[in-house]
Each structure stands twice: as C-alpha cells, then as structure tokens.
Amino acid sequence: MKKKSYSLLLFVLINTSSFAQEEQSVQVAPIDINENSVNYFYNLNENNQTRIIDGNAAAAIQGTSSTNYFKSLQLLPSVNVETQDAYGLTVDQNMLRVRGQLGDTFSRLSTTIEGVPFGFNVGNGGTGYLLDQENTSSLEFTTGLTPANKGMGLGTTSGSLDLKLEKPKDEAGGMVTVGAGTDNFQKLFLRLDSGKINDMFNFFISSSTMSNDKWKGEGDIKRKNIELMSAIDLSDTTQLEIFGAYNIFDRDEYMPLTYAQTQSLSSNYSVDYNTTITGNKFTDAMYYDFNKQTFDEYFYYMALDTQMGNTKIKFKPYTLGSKGTRYFGDATTGTVKKMLIREEAYGMNLEFEHPLAEGKLYGGWWYQEMESTPPPELQKVYKINADGSLTYASTAMLTDIDKRVSNAPYLGYEKTIDKTHFNVGLRYLMYDFPGVTGYNTAGLADLSYDEALSASSGVKNGMHVDKSSSDVLLPSLALDHQLNQNWKIGGGYAKNYANPWQGPLWSIYNSKTAVFQAAGITLQDLWDELKLETSDNIEFFTQYDYKNFNFKNTLFYGKYKNKQVTVYDPALNLSYYKSDSEATSMGVELEGNYNLSKNTSIFASVYYNRFEFDNNILLATNTYLETQNNQIPDVAKIGGKLGVNFTYNNFTFSPLARYIGKRYGDAENKEKVDAYTVFDLNTKYVLKKEKLELSLALQNIFDKQYIGVVKNSLDDTRTGATSYYQGAPFSAVLSMVYKF
C-alpha cells in the first residue's frame, strides 16, 4: 500500500509539472540563486535525446558526492544510480542502470571527455573519478538514440556520457574549495588560471585531495588528483588544446551482504570485514586490510581544431592508462589473492563538419589500441599466518595478452526542413579481440611479471585462445516535428553495442580447467561464443509546453541480442559467462516541470520498465536455466523522482526524493529486494556573488536502511550468487567555495 501511495503522489505531481521547450534533448539549467527568478530543473534543447546538465546543477544534484559525475544523472527517469558510500569515492562500475541496462564503463556505457574515450576495460578496480567537479562545465548524456558521432568507447547499450571541461579562462584568477563532513570526510581543491598571455595562450592547473573513513567497519578511501589544460590560438582558424589528468586512489573495500543477511537488514546493516586477526586463516581472509586496492591512472589528449574552406576539422589523439594492485581474501581457501593490473590505451578521433544543402554533413574515424586488458597479467596467492602476516604461496595466473583494437568510421547528416528536424547517421564498428596465452605457474617463486614469464616452463595446457574479430553496422535516425506552438512529437531508431567481458571467463576456466575439459568444453569454444552485444532501440515522444507548465512522455523499446550473462551449469557445478541470450525492454517515461512562482519550481518524473529475458538460457551441457519472461536482475519496474528548487535572495533550497520499486537479485526472480525511498537536501548561500559561497549537502536525511547496489556480475543468473550492498546512511557535507 505504501508503494502505491508513493507512485500515486509522483503521478499527480508530474501531471501538474512542466517541461521546457525546443527539442528532444533535456537540459538541466544552471540555478542562479542571485536572481529573483527560477529556471526549470530540466529544459529542452536541440540535441536529439541528449540531456545537457549544467555544472552548477550537477553539483547540486550530486550533493555529498562531489566527484561522482554519474550521480548527476540520478534525477533522470529510468536511471538508477547507487553508491556504496555517500561520497562516491568507492568506485563500483556496477552502480548504474539505464532503462534497466547495466551502465558499466568497461562494457556498456561510453564515457568520454570532450568526445575522447577515457573508459578502462577493468571491472571492480583500476578506475576512479578522473575529473574534479570544479573543472567540469557540463555533462551530456545520451541514451537510446545514439547518433553516429557520439559514444566512442567500449559500449553504448546503456548510453554515452560526455564530460565538458571548464576550459582556461581569459582572466587570471583561481578558486579554492574546502569541504568537511561526516565519517571524517575532507576535501581541498585549488585551481589557478593564467589568463590570456600575449592574446594567444592560456592555461589552468588544479590539484585536489579527498578522503573519508568508511561508514561501517574499519578502513578509509583516499583520492589525489592533478589536472592541467592549455589552449593556444595558432591562427584565426586554428586552435590547439592540450589536457592531462593524473589520479591516485587507495581504498579499503566494503563487504557485501548475502541475500539471507538482507532478510534481517536492521541487524546486519553494519556488517563489514573483520577488524582483528584471530589466527584462523579462513576467518582472517575477511580481514579488512586483505580486501583493498590502490591504483594510479592517467589521461592525456590533444585537440587540433582547424578549418579548410567551409569544412571544420578536429583531430584528437589521446592516451590513457591505469596501473595498480587489488587484494581480496578468499574465505574458502583461507588465502589472500593479489592481482596486478596494468592497462594502456592510445588512439585518435578525426572529425569533420561540412555545410551541405542547408544542412550539416558530419563524419569521422575513431581508432584505438588497448593493451593488457582483462584477464590480469599476474595473480598471486598468499598464505595467512597466525600473526596476520602474509607468505607467498603460489602464482595463480600468468598471461600474455595481445592488443584489443577498435576501428569505427562514421558518417551522418543533420537538417531542419520547415518544422521538421532530423539527424541520420551510420557507424561501421570493427573490434579485434585479443589473443591470450596462459603460462604454467607451477614452482614459480615470488617474481615480477617479466621474471615469471622467463621462468615459466611454457604454455599451460588448454589455456590459449586465438585473436578474433567482430563487426557491426550501427545506423541511427532521430527526428522531431513541431505540430504547433505547444505540441511537438518525435522519435527514431538506433542500434547500439557493448563489448563482452572476457576476463572472468578466462579466470574460471583457468581455475577449473580439468572440470571443463572432462566435459569436452575447450576455452576456445567458450571464447568464440563471446560476441558484441547489440540492441535495437526505438523511441517515440510527445511534448507539451504552455506558460509555466511543461510535460514530456517517452515510449521506448529495446531488443537485446547476444546479451552476456553469468550462467550456472548444474552439470559442471560452475558459473561462467555466455553471450547468446536475448532480452526485451519496453517502458514509458513521464517527466515535467512546473513553476509555482518566480521563486519556486518543481520537477517530477515517473517510469515503468519491463525488461525480461526472452528465453530460457541454454547451457553448454544442453541443460536450461528457467529465465523466460523473468525480469532482469536489479531492474525496478516502477520508480519516480521529485525535486523542488526554491530561491530567495542569496539562498537556495533544493529537497530531492527518489523512489525505486521492487527488484530481484537473480534471473530466476527468487531473491526479492524491497522498494525504497530516499530523501536528500541541498542548500547554498552566496555571501558575495561570483566570489564566496557556502553549501550544505545532506544525503538520506531520514537515515533510511535499504539495499542500494545489487551486484550480480552482468545480470548473474544463479540464485545465491548475488552480492548486496547497503545504501549509505545519513551524511552531511559543509563546503566553502572562494573565487579570486
């Protein structure tokens, strides 16, 4: 009854709401708290389903989590963003769902900075938050109808997120941000702008440090960051930009709950890794200091922007990388595993625009090579001594990995004819998946990677796969038509893609080689079954705008093929990855704004999403898992968001609420996760316009106990295999920003 009441309230609110004018794209407008007028939370703009979120609005929506740019999306309908801690410094790439589709940046969500990919292919480690909020001017989020020139990276089936930089300023100056909060949260950010030098050159440099204690158990999370950007006017038609970021993070992990523990959530809410050594190796594997990771990562790009006649050309070469160590305890064996991860990528994006027949012809070519993608190069096992010290036991994995190559030429055309606007495009995507060779590790000492390769006796039996290729055509069409002054309709079609996750398949085969081979299953057989996941997406929307009332209704449909899932094979008593499943997503989104007065506006949205497997899943030993017509794990069928923005003189007050309906943790739909509603509150006071401001962000103000992250390893299909993370409790952050 309670859930129905929440849904009814949100439905009533949205039908008295507003949604701004112009095009399909939704823009989160900046909130200027110094003016006696209120901008809508969301405004429509001309960008074909791209939602443009201004940096100021993003900061307000993010609340206590000032580095987590994904949380800027959490008010959007059909987007569910959850984090393991209130500050978002614990990065888990399984925290985002978009229209039910998992938004992991190593497979399904393209993440770019100024159109340049920066997503790593490593799950659960090797990636932090690369940009500081203060250096982000806006975010552009596209889902469903991905145009040909967006979404370069590892996948787009859950969308693409492009971060726009706050570029070097023409006037010399800078800013300082200081923040403190619950759980010993601390933040310090400093940015210096050179201003224009000799009317042709300017730059900024920034540095930041953030840390907080875990809200449960022992341990902490730390992040340090430095960013540098320069802009050079080479001529009237040629400009050069150079940007670099270096990020360091160390974090102690949060321990997930089992499904049985979630059934007594109040008594298990603070359960975490052990804080003392007991002398029992099976218990001590769950010691907090044996479950942690530390990584360094970098990202650099150069953008040359020039013009030849009427043709605009952009050339963007780039490189990125990550290197670090992840520790995790294994309570089954009473050991600690140490995973050494290294990843490097380099590539380029060449773009052009040319006016044609009163429209715009655009195109380009994206190319990328990525080295040492999963599986990890080196994994070691350590014994736990009675005093808590670790002793090297063996090398569990030693691999040599070829390059993963991405190639994608694309072409499109955009034009407005009378009251109809359209954007049509085509991308041809080609992937070369790496060949991988596993080496014998028996008898190896505690060696470096290069030393271990030299000392190995040779290739491990059955642990080699050849390089393979996959390609797909990605057409897209988006159009809209202005019926009259108040009504607009539109829609379109696009095919999206996602990379298969190969590392876990290699790992399970490496550890259970004899079991697979006894069943006559080779690694090459399973490797060849990994394909690019694709989705055929169709959308239709209607939009109404009248005075202070704006409203939008979107119907969406997605057909997913070669969907990768973790399947349990009872004949082998093992779970492993396959990408031959299909699923269908369909739903409706209602959203809008209403200006109650010049000082107050309301935003609300509700959604319904049915995302189901089409068939039972065929396992390699010709047995089936009963999944047909079951809801995909971690996908709520209903949900809603509500936000209020109130301004008075120099004060702004923004309460936010999110309702997420019932979910399941497994594909058999046996593990039910209760619905929840969370309330946040963000306030800001400007002491001096454009100079000094104070803000207070409160998250989960009623200290609601709920399950936030449902981690099912790419829609894990086995009951009992899902991990559950508690939603963060009440938290508060007080911040001061000073600009000079």
Side-chain angles (χ1 to χ4, degrees), residues 608-623:
Y608 172 83
N609 183 12
R610 195 176 76 186
F611 194 8
E612 300 176 346
F613 286 107
D614 293 344
N615 303 293
N616 294 326
I617 297 175
L618 175 65
L619 305 178
T621 52
N622 295 319
T623 57

Side-chain angles (χ1 to χ4, degrees), residues 161-234:
L161 178 64
D162 188 31
L163 307 180
K164 300 298 185 182
L165 294 169
E166 188 68 50
K167 297 185 178 180
K169 301 184 182 302
D170 290 339
E171 299 295 329
M175 71 181 298
V176 177
T177 303
V178 179
T182 51
D183 300 317
N184 198 29
F185 174 78
Q186 301 175 45
K187 173 182 177 179
L188 176 62
F189 170 87
L190 171 64
R191 168 169 164 155
L192 299 174
D193 278 88
S194 68
K196 209 77 168 181
I197 301 173
N198 295 329
D199 291 328
M200 65 171 294
F201 171 75
N202 56 358
F203 69 89
F204 80 75
I205 184 170
S206 73
S207 179
S208 67
T209 178
M210 297 178 66
S211 65
N212 66 272
D213 295 336
K214 290 169 54 182
W215 65 266
K216 62 171 186 170
E218 293 289 337
D220 55 22
I221 303 101
K222 299 177 181 178
R223 170 188 180 267
K224 294 181 179 179
N225 178 278
I226 186 168
E227 298 172 40
L228 173 67
M229 186 176 193
S230 61
I232 307 170
D233 294 328
L234 299 176

Side-chain angles (χ1 to χ4, degrees), residues 663-732:
R663 297 168 288 165
Y664 293 98
D666 66 310
E668 295 172 288
N669 288 181
K670 295 180 180 179
E671 297 185 356
K672 178 184 173 183
V673 181
D674 291 337
Y676 65 90
T677 303
V678 175
F679 296 88
D680 303 328
L681 175 63
N682 300 308
T683 63
K684 184 183 292 185
Y685 182 75
V686 174
L687 283 81
K688 189 173 183 180
K689 186 176 181 180
E690 302 297 331
K691 289 292 184 181
L692 183 63
E693 62 184 36
L694 297 175
S695 64
L696 176 65
L698 307 177
Q699 181 169 305
N700 194 1
I701 57 178
F702 297 116
D703 206 21
K704 170 73 174 178
Q705 293 188 349
Y706 67 100
I707 294 298
V709 176
V710 178
K711 189 172 182 180
N712 45 59
S713 298
L714 298 182
D715 299 335
D716 192 346
T717 58
R718 183 186 180 186
T719 302
T722 303
S723 297
Y724 299 87
Y725 290 87
Q726 307 93 313
F730 168 79
S731 62

Side-chain angles (χ1 to χ4, degrees), residues 47-269:
N47 239 333
N48 298 314
Q49 293 297 338
T50 295
R51 299 172 182 264
I52 304 174
I53 305 173
D54 177 86
N56 294 328
I61 296 171
Q62 287 174 219
T64 59
S65 182
S66 61
T67 61
N68 186 344
Y69 21 79
F70 299 111
K71 290 199 73 175
S72 304
L73 311 176
Q74 68 179 349
L75 284 189
L76 300 178
S78 299
V79 175
N80 182 22
V81 183
E82 284 294 345
T83 58
Q84 296 173 20
D85 71 271
Y87 307 110
L89 287 178
T90 298
V91 182
D92 191 322
Q93 295 167 314
N94 198 57
M95 66 184 179
L96 177 69
R97 289 273 177 178
V98 182
R99 292 179 176 172
Q101 181 72 335
L102 190 66
D104 47 35
T105 58
F106 54 84
S107 179
R108 294 175 170 86
L109 177 67
S110 166
T111 51
T112 57
I113 297 174
E114 296 288 345
V116 178
F118 72 99
F120 294 102
N121 194 232
V122 179
N124 306 318
T127 182
Y129 296 113
L130 203 61
L131 290 188
D132 281 307
Q133 171 188 291
E134 291 85 349
N135 291 334
T136 307
S137 65
S138 64
L139 303 90
E140 297 187 1
F141 181 64
T142 305
T143 185
L145 305 184
T146 307
N149 59 344
K150 286 186 178 291
M152 308 303 163
L154 297 170
T156 57
T157 53
S158 61
S160 63
L161 178 64
D162 188 31
L163 307 180
K164 300 298 185 182
L165 294 169
E166 188 68 50
K167 297 185 178 180
K169 301 184 182 302
D170 290 339
E171 299 295 329
M175 71 181 298
V176 177
T177 303
V178 179
T182 51
D183 300 317
N184 198 29
F185 174 78
Q186 301 175 45
K187 173 182 177 179
L188 176 62
F189 170 87
L190 171 64
R191 168 169 164 155
L192 299 174
D193 278 88
S194 68
K196 209 77 168 181
I197 301 173
N198 295 329
D199 291 328
M200 65 171 294
F201 171 75
N202 56 358
F203 69 89
F204 80 75
I205 184 170
S206 73
S207 179
S208 67
T209 178
M210 297 178 66
S211 65
N212 66 272
D213 295 336
K214 290 169 54 182
W215 65 266
K216 62 171 186 170
E218 293 289 337
D220 55 22
I221 303 101
K222 299 177 181 178
R223 170 188 180 267
K224 294 181 179 179
N225 178 278
I226 186 168
E227 298 172 40
L228 173 67
M229 186 176 193
S230 61
I232 307 170
D233 294 328
L234 299 176
S235 70
D236 292 340
T237 59
T238 304
Q239 292 79 40
L240 178 67
E241 292 180 351
I242 302 174
F243 174 79
Y246 194 86
N247 205 50
I248 301 173
F249 68 91
D250 301 88
R251 80 177 194 229
D252 292 302
E253 306 283 19
Y254 284 94
M255 184 178 181
L257 300 181
T258 65
Y259 182 69
Q261 289 174 313
T262 68
Q263 300 307 287
S264 301
L265 189 57
S266 59
S267 58
N268 290 307
Y269 206 72

Side-chain angles (χ1 to χ4, degrees), residues 116-117 300 315-320 345-349 366-369:
V116 178
Y300 307 105
F315 177 60
K316 299 178 180 179
Y318 63 92
T319 183
L320 66 151
Y346 44 92
M348 67 90 191
N349 192 11
W366 171 56
Y367 178 86
Q368 177 178 280
E369 293 185 2

